[in-house]
Amino acid sequence: MDNPDLWAGLSTLEAPPGADDTAPEVWEDPIPLTGRRERPPFPVHVFPTWLRDFVAAVAEETQTPADLAGSIALAVLATAAGGRSVVHVRGNWREPTNLYTVVALPPANRKSAVFALLTNPLYEAEKQLKTAMKPVIVEAEVTARLAKEAADKAAAKAASADPDKRDDMVATAVGLAQTAETLTVPAEPVLLADDSTPETVTSLMSEQGGRLSVMSAEGGIFDIIAGRYSGAPNMEVFLKGHAGDRLRVNRQTRREYIDAPALTIGLAVQPDVLRDIGKVKGFDGRGLLARFLYSLPASRVGERKIITDPIPEETAAKYASNVIGLTLSLAEWTDPAVIQLTPEADAALIAYQERVEPMLKARGGKLGHISNWAGKLAGATARMAALLHLAEHLGDGYARPVPDSTMNAAIELGEYYTAHALAVFDAMGADSVIVRARSVLDALRENGWEDVSRRDLFTAMSRAEVPTVADLEPALALLEDHGYVRSYQPERTGKRGRPPAPRLLTHPRLQGPGKVVDHAVRIRLMGRSVSRA
């Protein structure tokens, strides 16, 4: 730990002879490479009253951050409406209403309990859909079986018929066989799957008319996508299922066609899962990570109340009734309901897009290093606006346009998820310069250098992390800006030849205890020009 008296004494040291007048006399505390990201709390107030009340009550009873229940609630709405509605933004721009959400919290945060409370109505809706569909399925099965039996009998008669009657009987048999082929048995309704393989997800979506939701209080789905069973990443259905792009599978064992897939994913995982998926080859490059809305709330463990207020029965009943009603009201739609925006809502979204766009610049843009994710932010915001609108106007939201108040609520959600995405991508190492700078700091600490050349530092680094000496420069510039190193030009030792290469002084804290005084004296006596960024 630093000694304040020692630092105070060193502050009176004189600058070294011949040193730059602007050179600092002592080392100031370095600035952390990445300051703690401000992560705002989940804006529960943007939800309609019935949903806001339930999310707040769940957070209170379980003593969990409202972010957990809030993000799961969005996935629940997307499960109810995804594949059955789209939002028309402007021109040819339409967005489906499915979402990918993921909340990261450490163990002991009751993720499973919150998940059950939020998703139970979806399972009840699924049960009701199955009950309603059962007679239809039975009738279709009987009809298909009878048609197949009639075709088989006609074929058998045609095979043994007299030659003069065979042609007519063959034609009859062919007609019956063609009729039997056109008869299909509807699949039993399924809304939710849990950690299914990509192949299973594709098959289920094909059976369910393109709609499915993967909801889980664990992160096993990421391992499955990464190739736990197949040995290679398989993310096609998860990429196209988010965007709504046509999906076709042509293999020897199966052929499946989904013209407008709508996959929803709602997950609650441990923070380590997010760090690990950032390292999976292909996840970021192909855009899978860019499709998720991330929430990284602060855990309440250690500050929780022991005796909590239970969820009011009326609040729970209204939530269950509304989720079931919304799901059932849209379940029969084959062509999706088209939700329009009011001109004011579109103007609000345009203003938001104009504010975000400069942030996407690769150089200097706040969101430049996560532009793959931020580039989808406007679309995600439009999707959330449509979901909030449907939740506000249960039963007929598709019959009225989205107002600007709802769009502004969705924009507030977009800003929330942007702040949390920055924190999550920091943990994943999305900014390569910061990642490399951290590796340089590790090398400086391990070697304890107080004065080092770039060449020696490069030699100590892994070639996988730093391929060339030139690759060091952005990281060193960042470290100098943050006060960890100072670049200086050594004095010539002779009049001929090239001037010596610039070297680096390192902060005493990188050299271990006992180096503070030595380093301050060195600055005082060495007579070299020290520059400070």
Side-chain angles (χ1 to χ4, degrees):
M1 183 175 293
D2 295 334
N3 185 330
D5 295 332
L6 175 61
W7 281 100
L10 289 177
S11 65
T12 62
L13 290 174
E14 298 176 357
D20 188 338
D21 289 340
T22 63
E25 296 174 356
V26 296
W27 288 87
E28 297 178 357
D29 290 350
I31 302 169
L33 282 179
T34 303
R36 184 177 292 277
R37 296 280 187 183
E38 289 295 328
R39 304 196 303 275
F42 190 90
V44 180
H45 61 270
V46 304
F47 285 149
T49 303
W50 65 271
L51 187 53
R52 176 174 68 242
D53 290 348
F54 187 72
V55 167
V58 169
E60 164 60 24
E61 180 177 307
T62 61
Q63 289 295 286
T64 54
D67 314 58
L68 177 58
S71 286
I72 298 172
L74 278 174
V76 168
L77 293 178
T79 301
R84 299 299 183 263
S85 63
V86 298
V87 56
H88 177 220
V89 182
R90 70 186 77 99
N92 292 316
W93 181 12
R94 291 187 175 190
E95 289 284 343
T97 53
N98 53 303
L99 293 175
Y100 289 6
T101 69
V102 57
V103 185
L105 275 169
N109 270 277
R110 304 199 67 191
K111 295 188 288 289
S112 296
V114 175
F115 238 92
L117 289 168
L118 269 296
T119 58
N120 280 342
L122 288 176
Y123 287 100
E124 176 59 30
E126 183 181 86
K127 181 179 178 181
Q128 292 187 26
L129 288 172
K130 288 180 179 180
T131 300
M133 184 60 70
K134 188 65 177 178
V136 178
I137 293 175
V138 171
E139 181 180 351
E141 287 175 340
V142 172
T143 302
R145 185 173 67 250
L146 292 176
K148 179 69 166 56
E149 290 174 356
D152 289 343
K153 289 180 180 178
K157 288 182 179 180
S160 59
D162 294 335
D164 58 335
K165 299 179 179 180
R166 182 172 297 169
D167 289 345
D168 290 340
M169 297 185 71
V170 167
T172 299
V174 169
L176 289 172
Q178 290 174 338
T179 299
E181 281 293 319
T182 62
L183 298 177
T184 58
V185 178
E188 186 178 61
V190 174
L191 292 176
L192 299 129
D194 183 358
D195 288 354
S196 301
T197 65
E199 292 77 15
T200 301
V201 169
T202 304
S203 296
L204 283 172
M205 289 178 67
S206 178
E207 292 175 356
Q208 301 301 317
R211 173 170 72 161
L212 189 68
S213 181
V214 176
M215 304 279 280
S216 175
E218 302 293 339
I221 188 67
F222 289 120
D223 291 334
I224 294 172
I225 298 172
R228 175 198 292 172
Y229 302 117
S230 62
N234 184 355
M235 62 189 81
E236 198 73 15
V237 65
F238 299 98
L239 297 176
K240 294 185 174 181
H242 179 273
D245 295 336
R246 184 176 287 108
L247 178 63
R248 300 205 168 193
V249 178
N250 291 292
R251 295 178 182 167
Q252 289 183 344
T253 55
R254 61 192 179 105
R255 291 187 178 184
E256 292 160 337
Y257 308 102
I258 310 174
D259 286 333
L263 179 64
T264 287
I265 300 180
L267 304 174
V269 303
Q270 295 183 23
D272 285 348
V273 171
L274 294 185
R275 283 190 284 269
D276 291 342
I277 65 174
K279 302 173 185 176
V280 177
K281 185 177 181 181
F283 271 24
D284 191 27
R286 295 199 60 192
L288 180 65
L289 300 183
R291 284 161 165 75
F292 282 88
L293 296 174
Y294 297 96
S295 176
L296 188 63
S299 171
R300 295 185 64 182
V301 172
E303 301 175 352
R304 297 175 292 185
K305 294 190 297 185
I306 304 304
I307 305 299
T308 63
D309 297 330
I311 301 170
E313 291 185 7
E314 182 180 353
T315 300
K318 183 172 289 188
Y319 171 77
S321 174
N322 288 345
V323 169
I324 293 170
L326 179 61
T327 305
L328 298 182
S329 70
L330 292 169
E332 300 302 320
W333 286 73
T334 51
D335 293 330
V338 180
I339 301 168
Q340 304 289 344
L341 304 182
T342 62
E344 294 79 11
D346 188 31
L349 182 59
I350 290 172
Y352 184 47
Q353 289 179 265
E354 290 174 342
R355 192 164 76 249
V356 169
E357 187 64 24
M359 301 180 189
L360 305 182
K361 292 180 180 178
R363 293 194 176 190
K366 174 185 175 182
L367 306 177
H369 63 295
I370 60 167
S371 59
N372 285 350
W373 182 90
K376 299 181 184 299
L377 182 56
T381 301
R383 295 185 188 204
M384 290 188 288
L387 293 173
L388 294 177
H389 182 67
L390 289 171
E392 182 69 48
H393 303 283
L394 295 163
D396 68 343
Y398 52 83
R400 59 181 78 193
V402 177
D404 58 338
S405 58
T406 302
M407 182 59 72
N408 287 326
I411 289 171
E412 189 170 348
L413 279 170
E415 291 175 339
Y416 164 85
Y417 281 115
T418 298
H420 284 249
L422 285 168
V424 168
F425 280 102
D426 278 351
M428 291 182 185
D431 193 330
S432 59
V433 175
I434 290 179
V435 172
R436 193 166 288 163
R438 289 191 180 118
S439 297
V440 171
L441 277 181
D442 290 340
L444 293 174
R445 287 192 184 99
E446 290 173 4
N447 289 277
W449 287 305
E450 59 178 294
D451 187 326
V452 63
S453 70
R454 283 165 168 75
R455 176 62 62 181
D456 289 342
L457 178 57
F458 172 71
T459 301
M461 301 293 297
S462 163
R463 294 293 78 79
E465 292 179 302
V466 186
T468 68
V469 174
D471 292 319
L472 270 178
E473 290 308 318
L476 291 178
L478 182 64
L479 292 176
E480 191 162 5
D481 285 343
H482 285 250
Y484 287 99
V485 299
R486 296 174 186 166
S487 181
Y488 74 92
Q489 181 66 51
E491 292 181 340
R492 285 176 177 268
T493 56
K495 294 183 179 180
R496 296 184 178 181
R498 293 182 178 179
R503 294 179 65 85
L504 298 167
L505 292 178
T506 66
H507 195 289
R509 289 189 181 181
L510 300 179
Q511 305 162 32
K515 288 291 186 178
V516 175
V517 174
D518 291 346
H519 211 81
V521 172
R522 177 180 175 82
I523 291 176
R524 183 183 180 191
L525 298 177
M526 70 181 185
R528 293 172 176 170
S529 177
V530 180
S531 65
R532 181 184 180 191

